[in-house]
Amino acid sequence: MGVRTGIGHDVHRLEEGETLVIGGVTIPFEKGAVGHSDGDALSHAVVDALLGAANLGDLGLYFPSDDDQWKDASSLEFLKYAAEKVRSTHLAISNVDATVVLEEPKLSPHINEMKSNIAAALGIDMPLISVKATTTDGVGFIGRGEGIGAMAVATLTQE
């Protein structure tokens, strides 16, 4: 099988009074992501990238939003589960590269903690995780502060 690559993408609406969790980090802000679980768009994108690379479906297959078991669940648990599923197919996580798209707040002070959380949940070394942040320079629903998006690419190799 050699090398496999998967792409993940997630978006969530932002609303006042919700908690903003990104990469397992709770970030102080007046708005947070609306989601059935903790609304962690970064972790959700990484899960989909991993599952996609291993041809194992997607986040909704394992953690459906209509299942109360996952209400307010930590998405770091989803990452742990995805890593176990990947390993069960005799694949190893070689690299994860992700980008969070959010107008505010600035994420640079939180990036290392996000990387650490994701690496720990996946059971891999932190240097194998890249997390970046960008804005849309005011364009679209994210630019208007109405949402958050994340994209991720995962590379897997045969164990």
Side-chain angles (χ1 to χ4, degrees), residues 92-145:
I93 302 167
S94 298
N95 185 62
V96 172
D97 180 32
T99 302
V100 179
V101 186
L102 181 67
E103 213 64 25
E104 290 184 282
K106 295 297 180 196
L107 299 182
S108 55
H110 309 284
I111 295 289
N112 279 336
E113 188 177 0
M114 291 175 196
K115 290 168 56 174
S116 177
N117 287 346
I118 293 168
L122 297 180
I124 62 175
D125 294 333
M126 193 168 136
L128 300 178
I129 304 293
S130 169
V131 174
K132 305 171 303 297
T134 192
T135 70
T136 64
D137 291 327
V139 177
F141 75 99
I142 292 174
R144 291 189 300 272

Side-chain angles (χ1 to χ4, degrees), residues 20-92:
L20 184 60
V21 178
I22 306 172
V25 179
T26 300
I27 299 172
F29 193 59
E30 68 264 9
K31 292 181 181 180
V34 176
H36 184 68
S37 64
D38 59 6
D40 185 339
L42 173 57
S43 293
H44 295 175
V46 172
V47 167
D48 270 349
L50 291 166
L51 293 173
N55 196 20
L56 293 171
D58 63 21
L59 182 77
L61 178 66
Y62 301 98
F63 308 102
S65 59
D66 60 356
D67 186 341
D68 286 340
Q69 175 181 354
W70 308 118
K71 180 74 176 141
D72 299 323
S74 169
S75 295
L76 294 177
E77 295 303 314
F78 300 171
L79 285 166
K80 290 176 187 175
Y81 184 82
E84 290 171 12
K85 292 294 286 182
V86 164
R87 286 187 188 93
S88 77
T89 63
H90 306 290
L91 293 166

